[in-house]
Amino acid sequence: MFRSMLVRSSSSAKQSLLRRTFSSSSVPERKVAILGAAGGIGQPLALLMKLNPLVSSLSLYDIANTPGVAADVGHINTRSQVVGYMGDDNLAKALEGADLVIIPAGVPRKPGMTRDDLFNINAGIVKNLCSAIAKYCPHALVNMISNPVNSTVPIAAEIFKKAGMYDEKKLFGVTTLDVVRAKTFYAGKANVPVAEVNVPVIGGHAGVTILPLFSQATPQANLSGDVLTALTKRTQDGGTEVVEAKAGKGSATLSMAYAGALFADACLKGLNGVPDVVECSYVQSTITELPFFASKVRLGKNGVEEVLDLGPLSDFEKEGLEALKPELKSSIEKGVKFANQ
């Protein structure tokens, strides 16, 4: 089973149950398309999805270099058949029949590039890809990784609305990397096994809009206010930490691919009817006054089954929630405006 391959479970009984549940003979055929599969996130994500026994068909799309990635990954002796598609002319074939579309397409921020430069490039890419999804696989679940997620998810929603194909239950901003980081950093400070840690992360997927709820972390550890403040800041700045460590030569590609694969696995389980699959994701929401918000979501056969409420927040988290709202609101509005230009 995919997650237990990546995270060692403490319970062998649980593992054997998962193996029985997901023996490849009993799971449905599922086509997964990755748009941007030859990029820094796309290649390791393609590898991880090839290892997932829930995937029967893996469709890899990019504007260049996809045949090589597909040939390489396609030699791995796991269930899914792999096909690589390259260029605009082949986008329709890449998408047709997809149950799940994952979008890591776009460019990372390079030295000298402003956030507006990055926004305009990636927003344009997302706009075009979502127009094609609406046309060729309108009922697929869509997992948005392309940054800035706070804006690209609203862009996708607007494009789907224009095509008359918007289903709020099927569009997800992937914020799993924030959860993965929060778990890792918390486990280090709390001195508990990281595989047993859970930390919900709410808000958005950039800077101060990322709000880990360490007051709800399990197992509970008695950490001081200063430590929790530092953990929150480190989770919010996780992307910058990686960019600086790579000295301008890259961003968080491997950890993002891992997080993207975890969330895709949860979506596939939901589609297959596995009960009580709950993950944090940035979705259309009425939990706050903002139209999009990341919180815990129960996944099912139609995508979002239920957006769960935030639960009790500490005073520090309540302040963080109010502080993030203007920034997130502005990012959402920026995406809507771009889509409607």
Side-chain angles (χ1 to χ4, degrees), residues 202-204 207-213 232 236 293 313-328:
I202 64 167
V208 297
T209 70
I210 300 165
L211 185 61
L213 302 183
T232 300
Q236 292 171 338
F293 197 80
L313 307 186
S314 69
D315 289 344
F316 174 72
E317 290 160 357
K318 286 175 185 166
E319 284 170 26
L321 176 58
E322 292 314 309
L324 72 80
K325 284 178 182 176
E327 174 99 7
L328 189 50

Side-chain angles (χ1 to χ4, degrees), residues 2 4 12 18-19 32 49 60 66 73 140 148 151 184 186 201 210 229 255 296 299 305 316:
F2 178 70
S4 59
S12 57
L18 289 173
R19 276 197 292 273
V32 174
M49 295 316 294
L60 305 180
T66 343
V73 171
S151 299
T184 302
Y186 176 86
V201 181
I210 300 165
T229 301
S255 52
K296 287 200 280 193
L299 300 165
E305 234 168 48
F316 174 72

Side-chain angles (χ1 to χ4, degrees), residues 93-147:
K93 282 186 225 159
L95 290 171
E96 276 162 1
D99 297 285
L100 172 65
V101 181
I102 313 173
I103 311 181
V107 297
R109 193 149 64 112
K110 298 180 178 77
M113 186 187 272
T114 68
R115 287 196 181 275
D116 277 340
D117 294 336
L118 179 72
F119 173 85
N120 288 323
I121 295 167
N122 286 356
I125 291 168
V126 164
K127 200 171 180 178
N128 292 338
L129 293 176
C130 288
S131 297
I133 291 167
K135 194 169 178 183
Y136 300 113
C137 58
H139 304 297
L141 300 191
V142 177
N143 288 2
M144 185 69 68
I145 292 174
S146 304
N147 270 321

